[in-house]
Amino acid sequence: MKRTIRCIAVERQILTSQPVERQILASQLKSSMISSSTKSTLQRSTSLASMWREIQGSNDWNDLIKPLNPILREEIIRYGELVGACYKAFDLNPSSKRFLNCKYGKASMFQEVGMASTGYEITKYIYAAPGISMPTQQDDSGQSRWIGYVAVSTDDESKRIGRRDILVSFRGTATSTEWLANLMSSLAPARFDPTNQQPDVKVESGFLSLYTSDDSTCKFSQGSCREQLLKEVTRLINQYMGEELSVTLAGHSMGSSLAILFGYDLIELGLNRVYPSREIPVTVYSFGGPRVGNSNFKDRCNDLGLKVLRVVNTCDPITKLPGVIMNEGMRLIGGKYELPWSDSCYAHVGVELSLDFFKLENPKCVHDLDTYIRLLKYCSMIENVEKTEDSWYEKAKEMVARNKMIHVWPWQDAARQVGDLVQSLGF
C-alpha cells in the first residue's frame, strides 16, 4: 500500500537564499497558499475529535494520503515533534553524570525542550540495553541507556483529540552499539506469546536484542525495554479503561523499529483488549524506519490489526535496510509462485507516505527527523505549486538542489556514526 506525494525543502531554501531570492520564494509560497485556502478551510471544518479513528488508521488511511489530509498532516507533525523531544533531551556528553540518560526530570522535560504545551504528561522513562558487547568501546558498550518515554494526554488535550491517548515515543540511533544493532541483518523468531510462539514470525536480531535485553546494573530502571513498556502501558490502560482510548507509538529510525515491535507484542498478547468485544486501537507513526521482520511478521501484524504509517524519504538509505536484496520483491516469481527462501525475506509493515527530498548536496539531511517535519509542514503548499506553476516548481527544485542543508545535529549524522563504528571494529 504505497502512495506518493512530492515535497520540496523550500522553507530551508528561504532561510539560506539571498535577500532578493528569498523575497521571490516567499511571495510564490504565499500565492500558492491563498489559491488553495478555500479547499483547506473546508477540509479543516471536520475536527480531529470526530475522525480520530480514521486518522489513527482504522481504514488504512484510504483517501487521506493523496492528497494528504490536513488533519492527518498536523497529527504526523505533532507526533514527529514528540519524537524530536527525545533527541533534545538525550545526554551524549561522556563527562556528564547523566550520560546516556535524559537531561531532565519527567515533570519538566517538555518545558526544558521548549514544548511545554504538548498536552501530554510523562509517566515513565524507558531504557534499553543493546545486549551487544564491543570491547573496543568504553563509552556505551552493553550499557542501558534512555530510549524514550511513556506519556498520557491531559484532560484538555483528550477533549481536543477525542480520546485519551497513551503515547510511547522512541528516539533513533545515537551510539555505536546501537548502530551495530541496526547492522545485524540476521532474523530470529520473536516468540513473544508463550502460548502461541509462531516460530515462522521472525524479526531482525539486533532490534530484538535491544527490545528484550536487560542491564541489571542500570540504576534508572528494572527489567528489559519490553518489560518496562508492557508494565507501564498495561497500567495506564487499566487506569483509563472506562474512557475512549488509543495507544500511539512513534519513533524515528531505530526507534520506529522498537515502536513496531512493541505494537505487535502488545496486540499479540491481547493486552489492548479491555473487554471481550472492545479492542483499543494501536497505531505506529514511523519516521525514516528500516524493515523490522520477515514477510510472516508483516502478515501477522496485518492479521492482528496493528496500524503502521511509515513516513519515508525516497532517498533515505535507512528505509531500504535490512534486506537490500532479500526483501518483498524476492518472495515471488511472476507474482504468484513463492520461492523457497521467502521466509528469509524482509518486508515493510503498513502504509507508506513517501516524501522526496531531491538530490541535496549534503547527504546528512536525508535521514534527519527535523527535515522530515519541516517538509511535512510545507507539503500542502508545494503540492499546489507543482500543479499550477510548473516553471516556478522547476526553479525551486533547481535552487534547492544547489544549496546545502547546513543545520544537522550530531546524532543525526548517520555517515559519521557508521564510519566511527567501522573504524572501532577494525574493518
Side-chain angles (χ1 to χ4, degrees):
M1 293 178 286
K2 180 176 179 180
R3 302 162 175 86
T4 303
I5 62 174
R6 180 169 293 273
C7 299
I8 313 172
V10 174
E11 187 251 11
R12 181 76 69 173
Q13 174 60 37
I14 291 174
L15 295 176
T16 58
S17 60
Q18 297 299 316
V20 175
E21 289 178 332
R22 186 181 303 131
Q23 185 176 3
I24 295 172
L25 285 166
S27 176
Q28 293 284 0
L29 287 176
K30 181 179 179 180
S31 175
S32 68
M33 291 176 70
I34 293 174
S35 64
S36 60
S37 61
T38 302
K39 181 179 179 180
S40 296
T41 300
L42 291 174
Q43 288 177 312
R44 291 172 189 274
S45 64
T46 302
S47 68
L48 172 60
S50 66
M51 63 176 299
W52 71 265
R53 290 186 180 276
E54 290 82 358
I55 295 298
Q56 291 292 99
S58 63
N59 296 323
D60 294 317
W61 295 280
N62 287 329
D63 301 322
L64 295 179
I65 290 183
K66 190 175 182 181
L68 184 58
N69 179 280
I71 297 177
L72 175 59
R73 179 168 64 91
E74 289 175 358
E75 283 297 276
I76 296 171
I77 292 169
R78 185 169 72 92
Y79 285 118
E81 290 175 339
L82 286 164
V83 173
C86 294
Y87 284 118
K88 295 176 182 177
F90 190 45
D91 194 340
L92 276 170
N93 181 6
S95 62
S96 171
K97 292 182 179 179
R98 301 185 72 85
F99 178 51
L100 298 181
N101 192 11
C102 183
K103 299 175 186 177
Y104 317 110
K106 294 192 295 291
S108 63
M109 195 270 271
F110 282 137
Q111 182 175 356
E112 293 287 351
V113 300
M115 297 177 62
S117 60
T118 58
Y120 285 80
E121 295 177 349
I122 297 175
T123 65
K124 186 174 181 59
Y125 281 163
I126 302 300
Y127 297 80
I132 299 170
S133 177
M134 293 180 63
T136 59
Q137 291 289 316
Q138 301 300 320
D139 57 350
D140 70 311
S141 184
Q143 183 178 348
S144 185
R145 71 286 318 280
W146 184 69
I147 200 75
Y149 60 86
V150 181
V152 64
S153 57
T154 62
D155 291 345
D156 289 342
E157 182 69 1
S158 296
K159 291 177 182 178
R160 187 188 73 84
I161 64 178
R163 82 281 186 190
R164 184 78 63 175
D165 188 34
I166 299 171
L167 168 69
V168 185
S169 179
F170 300 92
R171 65 167 177 81
T173 311
T175 68
S176 297
T177 49
E178 290 169 2
W179 275 111
L180 184 59
N182 287 356
L183 296 173
M184 294 175 64
S185 60
S186 60
L187 288 162
R191 302 183 188 277
F192 290 153
D193 185 353
T195 64
N196 185 18
Q197 295 195 2
Q198 303 191 58
D200 293 335
V201 175
K202 299 178 181 180
V203 297
E204 198 256 20
S205 57
F207 300 144
L208 182 63
S209 175
L210 191 66
Y211 183 58
T212 58
S213 295
D214 182 14
D215 175 16
S216 59
T217 66
C218 180
K219 61 181 180 180
F220 299 110
S221 68
Q222 292 182 341
S224 65
C225 174
R226 180 192 185 215
E227 291 167 339
Q228 297 167 58
L229 286 169
L230 290 174
K231 182 178 180 180
E232 180 63 10
V233 172
T234 300
R235 183 186 72 81
L236 291 172
I237 288 175
N238 290 333
Q239 180 177 342
Y240 297 106
M241 69 167 55
E243 302 180 25
E244 196 78 81
L245 273 176
S246 66
V247 175
T248 305
L249 317 173
H252 172 239
S253 189
M254 172 194 70
S256 71
S257 302
L258 294 176
I260 292 174
L261 278 177
F262 177 57
Y264 161 71
D265 195 4
L266 190 70
I267 302 178
E268 186 71 87
L269 294 175
L271 298 178
N272 67 321
R273 301 189 192 102
V274 292
Y275 299 110
S277 59
R278 180 190 171 197
E279 292 188 2
I280 299 169
V282 180
T283 303
V284 176
Y285 287 91
S286 164
F287 298 87
R291 296 183 180 93
V292 178
N294 64 357
S295 55
N296 292 326
F297 176 72
K298 172 188 176 180
D299 294 341
R300 185 58 181 163
C301 287
N302 291 338
D303 292 342
L304 291 171
L306 176 64
K307 303 301 180 180
V308 180
L309 182 61
R310 296 186 302 106
V311 185
V312 303
N313 166 21
T314 57
C315 303
D316 187 347
I318 300 300
T319 63
K320 312 295 191 297
L321 300 173
V324 175
I325 298 175
M326 300 292 286
N327 55 47
E328 302 95 326
M330 293 290 291
R331 286 188 62 202
L332 305 174
I333 293 179
K336 57 182 180 179
Y337 299 107
E338 190 165 313
L339 296 170
W341 54 76
S342 61
D343 287 348
S344 299
C345 291
Y346 279 91
H348 273 303
V349 179
V351 175
E352 180 177 300
L353 171 59
S354 180
L355 308 177
D356 192 341
F357 290 20
F358 298 111
K359 297 180 180 179
L360 300 174
E361 293 180 16
N362 189 342
K364 298 174 184 177
C365 65
V366 299
H367 192 56
D368 178 7
L369 177 61
D370 185 57
T371 305
Y372 271 77
I373 295 171
R374 287 176 180 270
L375 283 172
L376 281 162
K377 289 181 177 180
Y378 287 86
C379 280
S380 61
M381 67 182 71
I382 297 307
E383 282 185 310
N384 186 68
V385 169
E386 180 178 5
K387 293 176 182 178
T388 61
E389 301 188 33
D390 292 338
S391 60
W392 156 244
Y393 168 77
E394 291 300 330
K395 180 180 179 181
K397 177 179 175 180
E398 292 172 6
M399 292 179 68
V400 171
R402 287 201 306 268
N403 287 271
K404 295 183 178 181
M405 306 282 277
I406 58 175
H407 186 61
V408 180
W409 295 100
W411 53 78
Q412 297 160 342
D413 189 350
R416 180 181 63 81
Q417 292 279 9
V418 173
D420 291 346
L421 172 61
V422 172
Q423 185 179 28
S424 71
L425 293 175
F427 291 162

